[in-house]
Amino acid sequence: IKYSDIDYYITISIGAVHYPTHAKCYEELFYNANRSLQLAKLNGKNTFNFFNSSIIEDTNRRLELKNLLYEAIQHKNFTMVYQPQYNYQGELISYEALVRWYDPIKGFISPNEFIPLAECAGLIIPLGYLLFELVLKELHSLQLAVGKKVKVAFNLSLKQFFDKNLSNQLISLCKVYNVDPNYIKLEITESVAASNINDVIQIISRLRLLGMEIELDDYGTGFSSLKYLKDFQINCIKIDQSFIKDLFLYPSNKAIINSTIQMAHELGFT
């Protein structure tokens, strides 16, 4: 669309229903069409979605989980588990912090379900700081348990990465729990590259000045670019698991991994 000599590009999301299959009256038909439209938007927009009964079940579950998520954040009803990370010599070098949520009624709820829900509900930033606080609270005990000053990697969501209070919040929490920021590794995904590169560079620079390491997660997918490796002051790249799981089935995967490792070493990454 052109208006005042300016081109505007629009997309369209559609929710479709069929009368009388999906409703018997106008009000119910409109309500189900709107639910179908909302699901089309959740699926990335610029698409269409036909109504079916599972939409009602999915919508009801999402609404229920969202309410439970509010309560879980308020009462800090999350636990962290720690996945060990080893170097090629088999030496334990760090842990990756992973969140778990168990609700007394719903049982175990997968992060693949509640993390996207937290993002849609505007809860991902407070959830992120809560989980970071839990990691800091448990770090000393973890280091005592393994008998060495290991580092812990923590995943930053896209929205939290761009939170204007990020640096101040992280360093403030580190002071509260007497944690040296040098033992913290922050994982970001390549999706940050879709934003203003200069902003990303400045944020990473501030985090590095605090003493924290930066890891680029899921490398090889999404917005992969050699330019980002050059511009971003990162310490480590984590090759996406899609290349690892079929390592011995496809020679191309092995070639990609070997070349990526060699490149990372040349750039001083781990």
Side-chain angles (χ1 to χ4, degrees), residues 4-256:
S4 298
D5 294 327
I6 299 177
D7 290 323
Y8 294 90
Y9 298 91
I10 62 174
T11 60
I12 185 170
S13 300
I14 300 173
V17 294
H18 178 264
Y19 176 84
T21 306
H22 299 140
K24 304 300 182 184
C25 63
Y26 165 77
E27 290 79 9
E28 187 179 1
L29 194 70
F30 182 81
Y31 181 73
N32 290 341
N34 186 58
R35 283 193 168 188
S36 186
L37 172 61
Q38 296 305 316
L39 186 59
K41 291 180 177 180
L42 288 174
N43 289 335
K45 302 182 179 180
N46 196 29
T47 187
F48 65 90
N49 188 78
F50 283 107
F51 179 82
N52 60 70
S53 59
S54 65
I55 292 179
I56 296 179
E57 298 174 3
D58 181 69
T59 302
N60 290 340
R61 177 172 173 82
R62 288 176 63 87
L63 180 60
E64 188 175 9
L65 287 184
K66 185 173 73 171
N67 293 334
L68 291 174
L69 192 56
Y70 274 105
E71 297 178 3
I73 293 175
Q74 183 178 2
H75 298 292
K76 302 182 178 182
N77 292 337
F78 298 93
T79 57
M80 305 302 295
V81 296
Y82 299 92
Q83 179 174 288
Q85 298 176 326
Y86 300 89
N87 61 17
Y88 70 97
Q89 296 174 322
E91 179 188 6
L92 176 66
I93 56 174
S94 61
Y95 283 89
E96 179 180 2
L98 304 171
V99 61
R100 296 293 181 262
W101 179 23
Y102 180 84
D103 181 78
I105 299 176
K106 294 295 183 181
F108 174 76
I109 303 171
S110 170
N112 292 333
E113 183 174 16
F114 73 80
I115 293 297
L117 180 61
E119 292 175 342
C120 292
L123 297 173
I124 194 64
I125 292 180
L127 175 61
Y129 287 130
L130 168 60
L131 301 183
F132 185 74
E133 182 179 358
L134 292 177
V135 170
L136 297 181
K137 187 177 181 179
E138 297 170 352
L139 181 54
H140 289 305
S141 297
L142 180 64
Q143 292 174 334
L144 286 174
V146 299
K148 61 188 302 186
K149 292 285 189 177
V150 292
K151 299 183 179 183
V152 172
F154 178 82
N155 289 276
L156 281 180
S157 69
L158 182 64
K159 290 184 178 180
Q160 188 174 16
F161 179 80
F162 288 106
D163 179 31
K164 63 181 181 179
N165 297 317
L166 176 64
S167 298
N168 290 335
Q169 282 283 88
L170 297 186
I171 199 64
S172 176
L173 287 170
C174 284
K175 290 179 179 178
V176 169
Y177 292 95
N178 193 30
V179 170
D180 186 344
N182 287 283
Y183 292 112
I184 300 297
K185 302 195 294 184
L186 300 175
E187 294 188 359
I188 61 175
T189 63
E190 292 181 333
S191 57
V192 302
S195 307
N196 186 290
I197 298 299
N198 291 330
D199 290 343
V200 175
I201 292 174
Q202 291 178 13
I203 294 172
I204 291 178
S205 178
R206 287 198 295 267
L207 295 173
R208 288 290 303 273
L209 287 174
L210 296 178
M212 300 177 182
E213 294 186 11
I214 305 296
E215 297 186 341
L216 189 61
D217 199 8
D218 299 333
Y219 182 74
T221 61
F223 301 93
S224 296
S225 172
L226 296 178
K227 178 175 173 58
Y228 304 144
L229 299 184
K230 178 178 71 72
D231 293 340
F232 296 169
Q233 298 180 46
I234 60 177
N235 303 91
C236 173
I237 57 175
K238 297 178 66 177
I239 302 173
D240 186 73
Q241 64 174 340
S242 61
F243 294 100
I244 305 297
K245 64 181 181 181
D246 296 326
L247 178 61
F248 298 105
L249 295 178
Y250 302 103
S252 58
N253 281 18
K254 184 177 180 180
I256 291 172

